[in-house]
Amino acid sequence: EVQLLESGGGLVQPGGSLRLSCAASGFTFSGYDMTWVRQAPGKGLEWVSGISGSGDRTYYADSVKGRFTISRDNSKNTLYLQINSLRAEDTAVYYCAFPPESSFDYWGQGTLVTVSS
Amino acid sequence: DIQMTQSPSSLSASVGDRVTITCRASQGITSDLGWYQQKPGKAPKRLIYAASTLQSGVPSRFSGSGSGTEFTLTISSLHPEDFSTYYCLQYNTYPCSFGQGTKLESK
């Protein structure tokens, strides 16, 4: 059974940093590109970042470019999102998921990041 | 970047109604589009990918069509569990982009 389990969210002050993790199981992790999507409270979905299966190609939304870094450790079956210089508008539930071009559709349960002083 | 314009933003309908939601891309995206359903407090669930391919396990009352810049999601006969929020997502060009969402409510 495919499982994606996010962790690392929490309350952080503006300008702070967090590293989100997504532990994957039930499939050959290194064989799949992966994606982060977020949703601010009461708002729509926003695609945030993507990474190739080998980790050599990364992609970002303009709103996070230069502040967020996606990475993966295929030996640990784990996807990461390093988020720096946090702003109030980064407050959201962050989901890891299979990429939209995949025929498979799997999402984690999400982890909440709250940016507030 | 590609902008996705989704309409309507909200829609009232009744059980048994036929409903159509539209997404328009700011430039051609061939058929690289998915449709998602999201219920409150839950992760999104994909209904359609490649514009018209039904995701495994999704009821056949859901269908998608279109290519290029114009896409539609159709629910042929609304069931009570279909009242939810729907999003389109283009994945033709990075960064990927979602539509603004359509909230489907019971009339």
Side-chain angles (χ1 to χ4, degrees):
Chain A
E1 178 192 6
V2 170
Q3 288 194 331
L4 300 171
L5 184 62
E6 301 97 336
S7 62
L11 175 63
V12 61
Q13 292 188 338
S17 298
L18 277 178
R19 188 176 79 158
L20 307 183
S21 299
C22 174
S25 61
F27 64 103
T28 304
F29 182 66
S30 61
Y32 290 88
D33 297 0
M34 295 295 293
T35 292
W36 287 97
V37 171
R38 69 182 180 182
Q39 186 169 37
K43 303 296 185 182
L45 298 169
E46 181 184 14
W47 182 89
V48 172
S49 184
I51 187 168
S52 63
S54 63
D56 62 338
R57 288 172 283 119
T58 58
Y59 310 94
Y60 298 93
D62 291 346
S63 58
V64 308
K65 200 174 294 183
R67 299 188 300 122
F68 289 18
T69 302
I70 191 172
S71 63
R72 63 194 298 159
D73 186 337
N74 287 341
S75 69
K76 296 182 178 179
N77 288 348
T78 303
L79 175 71
Y80 301 102
L81 187 68
Q82 177 69 40
I83 48 180
N84 298 329
S85 304
L86 278 159
R87 307 166 179 167
E89 55 265 36
D90 295 319
T91 294
V93 174
Y94 286 74
Y95 296 100
C96 68
F98 273 49
E101 64 270 21
S102 171
S103 60
F104 300 107
D105 180 48
Y106 294 105
W107 294 67
Q109 84 290 348
T111 187
L112 176 63
V113 173
T114 303
V115 183
S116 175
S117 54
Chain B
D1 296 358
I2 297 174
Q3 312 302 319
M4 300 302 296
T5 302
Q6 187 172 337
S7 61
S9 56
S10 63
L11 179 57
S12 293
S14 301
V15 171
D17 284 354
R18 180 182 180 90
V19 166
T20 297
I21 299 168
T22 298
C23 260
R24 178 178 292 113
S26 59
Q27 64 190 73
I29 59 170
T30 62
S31 296
D32 297 331
L33 183 113
W35 288 99
Y36 294 77
Q37 177 192 64
Q38 188 182 31
K39 296 186 181 292
K42 299 294 187 181
K45 170 188 172 183
R46 191 170 65 185
L47 305 172
I48 301 285
Y49 65 98
S52 60
T53 302
L54 193 67
Q55 189 72 41
S56 175
V58 172
S60 59
R61 62 181 180 273
F62 292 94
S63 65
S65 64
S67 66
T69 61
E70 295 279 339
F71 301 86
T72 59
L73 171 71
T74 299
I75 310 172
S76 60
S77 179
L78 274 173
H79 286 209
E81 61 268 30
D82 299 338
F83 295 103
S84 186
T85 302
Y86 294 85
Y87 298 90
C88 62
L89 170 67
Q90 74 80 18
Y91 50 90
N92 177 264
T93 302
Y94 285 110
C96 302
S97 44
F98 283 95
Q100 303 95 317
T102 296
K103 187 172 185 179
L104 177 55
E105 298 175 305
S106 177
K107 188 181 292 183

